[in-house]
């Protein structure tokens, strides 16, 4: 199975800060990487697919980049409503595996 | 509006089975699959398998083979996940999620999720 490693496990940042979360795959997954946001007590929601494509309705302060084994999710200006846990997921090979998540809080 | 409505919370004994349902809005089964993903307390997300309703084919990862059965009733646009031989480490929130079928087949991205069903396994 492909292992997905996210870092950091958690972070605390101020409103307006630029936030970066990384995700590393244990083997080359091309651009087959998706990002989800999970607000407390809610189901995950798709943010970005195929490494860099913004899902409809997602604010433009979110962006994704990377290919191969190394990927990044960036929030250009953190907002209070961005609090939650962010998960990466590889869609290259079954079983489709997720990272352990990055919890984002407001300082 | 896309909807995936799941059945309610369950409490089960070790060794028993559980069935969780997921009713999708009309038309979902024509162009999408339904996957099941679980989240144990304080843990990450884990993909458990999918059903492709239009051809009635299910795929399961090796970890769950023999213990899981995913089915779909096209007449009611409802998907079901049956998990047997329950253990305490099966305690989790179980989500169904919609997966678009693209021009080259399944996409393995999950664009809408149900609200989740808590399954607690305890003696």
């Amino acid at each position: 199975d492909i292992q997905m490693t996210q870092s950091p496990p958690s972070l605390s940042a101020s409103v307006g800060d630029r936030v970066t979360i990384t995700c590393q795959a244990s083997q080359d997954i091309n651009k087959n990487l998706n990002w989800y946001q999970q607000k407390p007590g809610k189901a995950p929601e798709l943010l970005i697919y195929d490494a860099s494509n913004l899902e409809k309705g997602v604010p433009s302060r979110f962006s994704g980049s990377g290919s191969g084994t190394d990927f990044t999710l960036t929030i250009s200006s953190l907002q209070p409503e961005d609090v939650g846990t962010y998960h990466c997921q590889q869609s290259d090979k079954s079983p489709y595996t997720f990272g352990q998540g990055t919890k984002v809080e407001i300082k | 509006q896309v909807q995936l409505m799941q059945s309610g919370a369950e409490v089960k004994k070790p060794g028993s089975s559980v069935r969780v349902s997921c009713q999708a809005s009309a038309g979902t089964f024509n162009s999408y699959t339904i996957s099941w993903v679980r989240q144990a307390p304080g843990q990450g997300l884990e993909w458990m398998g999918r059903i492709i309703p239009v051809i009635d084919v299910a795929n399961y990862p090796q970890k769950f083979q023999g213990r899981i059965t995913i089915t779909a009733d096209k007449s009611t646009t409802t998907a079901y996940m049956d998990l047997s031989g329950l253990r305490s480490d099966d305690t989790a929130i179980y989500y169904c999620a919609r997966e678009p079928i693209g021009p080259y087949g399944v996409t393995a991205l999950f664009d809408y999720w149900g609200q989740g069903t808590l399954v607690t396994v305890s003696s």
Side-chain angles (χ1 to χ4, degrees):
Chain A
D1 297 0
I2 298 174
Q3 307 302 314
M4 306 300 293
T5 304
Q6 272 183 252
S7 61
S10 65
L11 65 89
S12 182
S14 300
V15 172
D17 281 355
R18 184 180 185 87
V19 167
T20 299
I21 298 168
T22 64
C23 180
Q24 186 169 61
S26 61
Q27 64 188 70
D28 189 338
I29 59 170
N30 199 355
K31 284 182 170 260
N32 297 311
L33 189 284
N34 309 310
W35 289 97
Y36 301 86
Q37 177 193 59
Q38 185 174 27
K39 295 186 178 178
K42 299 292 187 184
E45 293 183 357
L46 180 65
L47 282 180
I48 287 169
Y49 62 95
D50 295 344
S52 59
N53 294 302
L54 209 61
E55 175 69 347
K56 282 190 297 287
V58 174
S60 58
R61 63 181 179 272
F62 291 93
S63 64
S65 64
S67 68
T69 60
D70 295 300
F71 301 87
T72 300
L73 172 70
T74 299
I75 309 172
S76 61
S77 176
L78 186 68
Q79 299 302 304
E81 60 266 32
D82 300 335
V83 164
T85 301
Y86 292 80
H87 306 271
C88 64
Q89 175 241 333
Q90 64 85 11
S91 49
D92 191 63
K93 283 187 181 61
S94 177
Y96 310 112
T97 45
F98 293 81
Q100 282 298 100
T102 295
K103 188 173 183 179
V104 173
E105 296 175 326
I106 300 289
K107 200 181 288 183
Chain B
Q1 186 180 349
V2 178
Q3 282 197 335
L4 295 172
M5 191 62 63
Q6 297 185 222
S7 49
E10 303 265 10
V11 179
K12 293 292 183 180
K13 299 270 190 228
S16 67
S17 299
V18 69
R19 165 171 275 203
V20 183
S21 67
C22 171
Q23 183 168 31
S25 37
T28 299
F29 282 11
N30 296 331
S31 307
Y32 301 90
T33 84
I34 298 292
S35 271
W36 290 89
V37 178
R38 73 179 183 180
Q39 187 171 34
Q43 302 296 310
L45 299 163
E46 183 175 34
W47 182 72
M48 302 178 69
R50 66 156 72 89
I51 181 82
I52 309 172
V54 68
I55 56 173
D56 210 18
V57 168
N59 309 132
Y60 312 117
Q62 190 171 4
K63 173 175 179 175
F64 293 102
Q65 294 225 359
R67 274 215 306 149
I68 192 170
T69 304
I70 300 174
T71 55
D73 182 340
K74 291 193 274 288
S75 67
T76 61
T77 59
T78 301
Y80 299 93
M81 189 279 298
D82 293 292
L83 190 63
S84 62
L86 289 171
R87 308 182 289 254
S88 58
D89 62 357
D90 291 316
T91 294
I93 297 174
Y94 289 75
Y95 294 101
C96 62
R98 189 183 83 164
E99 173 193 8
I101 298 174
Y104 305 107
V106 294
T107 57
L109 67 91
F110 310 115
D111 65 352
Y112 282 96
W113 296 60
Q115 82 275 22
T117 297
L118 176 62
V119 175
T120 304
V121 183
S122 173
S123 53

